[in-house]
Amino acid sequence: MTDQDWHKQVDLYLFRIQQQDKRALQALYDLTSAKILGLITRITNDRHEAEDILQEVYIKIWQQAQQYHGSGSAWGWLCVLSRHCAIDRIRQWKKSRYESTDELPEFLEALTDSTELSNKHWIGQCLKKLKPKPRKAILLSCLKGYTHSELTVKLEAPLGTVKAWLRRGMQELQQCLAA
């Protein structure tokens, strides 16, 4: 199955889930759960917790499928939903620790070298094009769940600067992915 066919399947299953087709939910789970589990595991750094969150993600997909209106990719919507579930769980842990960012270069390299998705506009390639500070701010925010105020401490920068890095970095990512 080509990458394009795979994405079409995801779109189709999500549309069928919106119609309350339980078999489509099972088919979507079979098609996407391994990739979503990988994403959640990268965010939580805990495989067992990620497996619990994965189940929560598919419950939310069933309950919230109507919120997807077809703008953007269904796969992107699933990834954002998964990311939010993982970050919500991290926040529930009520840990106020600051995690090391030493692994971010290795993670970025893994994204870039990934053959899991062969899309020529893979996000890892676009992340590598960003300046280091906006890239680090985006990775800490999106993957580790840091809030703006936590980023100001971690990156030792004023709140306005952090927000500008995030905004400009996300705009550059969007432009790169759209190209």
Side-chain angles (χ1 to χ4, degrees), residues 4 8 13 55 73 100 103 126 132-133 138 146 172-173 178:
Q4 188 176 22
K8 284 181 182 179
Y13 290 144
Q55 299 309 312
S73 75
S100 168
E103 76 281 1
C126 293
K133 288 184 180 182
I138 288 170
Y146 280 66
E172 289 177 33
L173 276 177

Side-chain angles (χ1 to χ4, degrees), residues 126-139:
C126 293
L127 279 168
K128 275 193 143 182
K129 293 178 182 179
L130 295 178
K131 292 179 182 173
K133 288 184 180 182
R135 178 177 53 235
K136 189 172 184 178
I138 288 170
L139 288 171

Side-chain angles (χ1 to χ4, degrees), residues 2-172:
T2 68
D3 199 38
Q4 188 176 22
D5 291 338
W6 186 88
H7 284 280
K8 284 181 182 179
Q9 282 297 119
V10 172
D11 291 344
L12 175 66
Y13 290 144
L14 190 55
F15 173 75
R16 286 179 40 203
I17 291 167
Q18 289 175 332
Q19 309 306 312
Q20 300 295 297
D21 183 344
K22 292 179 182 178
R23 289 179 297 199
L25 181 64
Q26 180 61 51
L28 182 70
Y29 180 88
D30 294 341
L31 184 65
T32 61
S33 61
K35 291 179 182 184
I36 290 178
L37 180 62
L39 171 68
I40 296 168
T41 302
R42 280 187 219 114
I43 293 169
T44 62
N45 290 321
D46 184 329
R47 173 70 182 220
H48 296 293
E49 194 68 34
E51 290 169 353
D52 289 342
I53 296 168
L54 182 68
Q55 299 309 312
E56 182 181 322
V57 165
Y58 284 93
I59 290 169
K60 285 192 177 208
I61 290 170
W62 179 256
Q63 295 171 339
Q64 299 177 11
Q66 298 300 326
Q67 293 178 9
Y68 175 68
H69 300 292
S71 58
S73 75
W75 173 242
W77 186 81
L78 294 174
C79 289
V80 169
L81 182 70
S82 302
R83 177 185 166 272
H84 286 294
C85 286
I87 290 171
D88 287 347
R89 182 67 62 93
I90 289 170
R91 288 181 178 151
Q92 286 175 359
W93 293 338
K94 295 181 181 178
K95 292 183 179 178
S96 60
R97 63 188 168 110
Y98 290 88
E99 297 184 28
S100 168
T101 58
D102 295 340
E103 76 281 1
L104 291 179
E106 289 80 11
F107 177 76
L108 183 59
E109 194 63 35
L111 272 179
T112 305
D113 293 340
S114 176
T115 56
E116 186 174 291
L117 294 175
S118 59
N119 189 336
K120 65 181 178 178
H121 297 295
W122 176 233
I123 194 164
Q125 295 295 333
C126 293
L127 279 168
K128 275 193 143 182
K129 293 178 182 179
L130 295 178
K131 292 179 182 173
K133 288 184 180 182
R135 178 177 53 235
K136 189 172 184 178
I138 288 170
L139 288 171
L140 287 171
S141 174
C142 293
L143 297 177
K144 300 290 186 177
Y146 280 66
T147 64
H148 289 151
S149 58
E150 291 171 330
L151 286 171
T152 62
V153 173
K154 185 69 178 170
L155 300 174
E156 299 175 348
L159 180 61
T161 301
V162 169
K163 287 182 176 181
W165 288 340
L166 290 168
R167 185 182 64 252
R168 283 193 305 261
M170 293 302 284
Q171 287 171 342
E172 289 177 33

